[in-house]
Amino acid sequence: MTYAPACLLGGWASDRFGPRRTMAAAVAWWSVFTAATALCFNAATFVLQRLLFGLGEGPQGATTARTMRNWFPQKEYATAVGFSFAFNPLGAAIGIPVVTWLLLLFDNEWRWPFVVLGVAGLLIALLWYGVVRDRPEQHPRVGAAELRHISSDAVTPELDAADEDVPSLRDYVRHRSVWSNALAFFGFSWILFMFLSWYPVFLVEQHGVDLADLAWAGSLPWIAGAVGTALGGLLSDHLVRRTGAVFATRKWIAVVCLGGAALLVVPIAMVGSTLGAVVLLTVALLLLYLSNVQFFALVAATVHTARLGSVTGFVHFCANCAAIVAPALTGFLVADLGSWVLAFGVAAGLALAGAVALAFARPTTTTTGNVS
């Protein structure tokens, strides 16, 4: 529950203090409370640990978006964000065998993997702070030619821009493009977290699958997430370079891919074979993750750089409200009403509504570059 509001906090902090310090603090906090899991001894302590852990997890998205915007020109931004975000699901896929190995190493003592991963996270936070700079001109290894390339299609980011010179967060959140982007991202997150929470149960109840014999199906969301996110960034920037229409290109990729994923959700609940359900899920998740980068890239295409973290944090906050509601409502529709079709239909409807809202969006009047 703390993850969603932490998105807002992290976005504001990346604008106010810079992404370097914000990310280092967030990863350090996250790592400390990962290790602190080893100290938990009952339900109350586990709940408290998860709440505190979420405060460190939330800032990651907006801070990454702000870092990439400072370091890449608009025409390469989606690719940079796509490859950065692709490592989130890839990390989950790698983490499963790593944790298994650690459990074997420590004789199945579950506390030690949390300690080891927490220490590793602290080392990564130190490495980040030592290597990364907020802006390329601050880094001693960035030459003049590279700096000209980075700033070729954008104003120089100003972390200390005066409020009177830059529209406020309140100004931006009132704009249709920001709200429609947030609604579409909400629909994306609803489908994603519904599947992450309930798809294994769906396979067992509807198809009688023994997950021990179909463990590979559990990795599909992460594999599709990594591939789809990276490809979404590459595709978006490729089309932007060809068309020159930054906002329109990124918007329509999001609309088409999110809408396509939504149309496949209900058939997953209705198909009779296990193979059919798995294939449909794979295609749906690929389409879904192709839209992932676009929600961040749309903010970067229309928002003044000094407010990029804050507006991204707001959009990410709205999206992650779905992570709170979707698993609970899906559980009610399945357990109390006994309908997987209805549960999947709600997800599809919300995603389609978000895609339609985004289709009518127009860029804000204050931008960081030329958009169309």
Side-chain angles (χ1 to χ4, degrees), residues 66-356:
R66 178 62 193 261
T67 303
M68 296 302 104
R69 190 64 189 101
N70 287 3
W71 277 85
F72 290 86
Q74 183 72 255
K75 60 181 176 290
E76 299 175 3
Y77 175 78
T79 299
V81 173
F83 276 95
S84 297
F85 286 172
F87 278 82
N88 289 336
L90 185 61
I94 295 172
I96 293 173
V98 168
V99 170
T100 301
W101 175 76
L102 288 172
L103 285 171
L104 293 173
L105 182 66
F106 292 106
D107 295 324
N108 288 323
E109 173 51 61
W110 65 268
R111 299 176 190 273
W112 280 109
F114 289 102
V115 174
V116 172
L117 295 176
V119 172
L122 288 173
L123 294 176
I124 291 172
L126 288 173
L127 180 64
W128 165 276
Y129 193 79
V131 173
V132 176
R133 298 294 183 270
D134 286 329
R135 292 176 283 185
E137 60 266 28
Q138 298 171 340
H139 202 289
R141 300 188 64 179
V142 175
E146 185 178 3
L147 186 59
R148 284 194 300 271
H149 174 73
I150 292 171
S151 58
S152 61
D153 63 353
V155 297
T156 301
E158 292 295 340
L159 299 180
D160 55 353
D163 288 342
E164 61 268 19
D165 297 330
V166 180
S168 67
L169 174 61
R170 180 180 299 178
D171 294 331
Y172 279 118
V173 299
R174 291 174 176 173
H175 200 278
R176 179 188 296 177
S177 67
V178 174
W179 269 109
S180 59
N181 193 19
L183 288 172
F185 204 179
F186 180 91
F188 165 95
S189 295
W190 190 287
I191 292 178
L192 176 62
F193 285 99
M194 179 191 70
F195 279 133
L196 291 178
S197 301
W198 287 98
Y199 191 67
V201 178
F202 167 75
L203 288 177
V204 172
E205 290 191 356
Q206 293 295 101
H207 296 279
V209 172
D210 181 356
L211 290 183
D213 297 329
L214 198 61
W216 56 271
S219 66
L220 281 176
W222 309 117
I223 296 172
V227 174
T229 302
L231 287 179
L234 288 168
L235 174 65
S236 185
D237 282 342
H238 172 71
L239 293 178
V240 164
R241 287 191 291 270
R242 294 195 62 177
T243 65
V246 180
F247 183 87
T249 298
R250 306 205 195 288
K251 179 186 80 171
W252 285 112
I253 293 175
V255 169
V256 171
C257 292
L258 179 62
L263 292 175
L264 291 175
V265 168
V266 174
I268 293 172
M270 301 174 67
V271 68
S273 69
T274 301
L275 179 61
V278 172
V279 170
L280 283 174
L281 171 69
T282 303
V283 176
L285 286 176
L286 276 172
L287 287 172
L288 190 71
Y289 274 108
L290 281 169
S291 70
N292 186 15
V293 173
Q294 318 311 323
F295 304 119
F296 295 90
L298 282 169
V299 176
T302 59
V303 172
H304 192 288
T305 316
R307 294 287 182 264
L308 180 61
S310 300
V311 178
T312 302
F314 170 77
V315 172
H316 207 198
F317 161 77
C318 293
N320 281 286
C321 287
I324 300 172
V325 182
L329 183 58
T330 301
F332 167 76
L333 294 175
V334 172
D336 292 10
L337 301 184
S339 177
W340 285 103
V341 173
L342 180 58
F344 284 22
V346 169
L350 289 171
L352 282 174
V356 170

Side-chain angles (χ1 to χ4, degrees), residues 1-11 22-23 25-31 33-34 49-64 85 88 92 193 196 222 316 320 323:
M1 293 180 67
T2 55
Y3 178 74
C7 295
L8 282 173
L9 177 63
T22 301
M23 183 69 85
V27 174
W29 181 283
W30 182 357
S31 302
F33 285 99
T34 295
Q49 179 273 334
R50 293 301 297 172
L51 291 173
L52 293 172
F53 172 86
L55 291 175
E57 186 181 9
Q60 310 291 326
T63 306
T64 299
F85 286 172
N88 289 336
F193 285 99
L196 291 178
W222 309 117
H316 207 198
N320 281 286

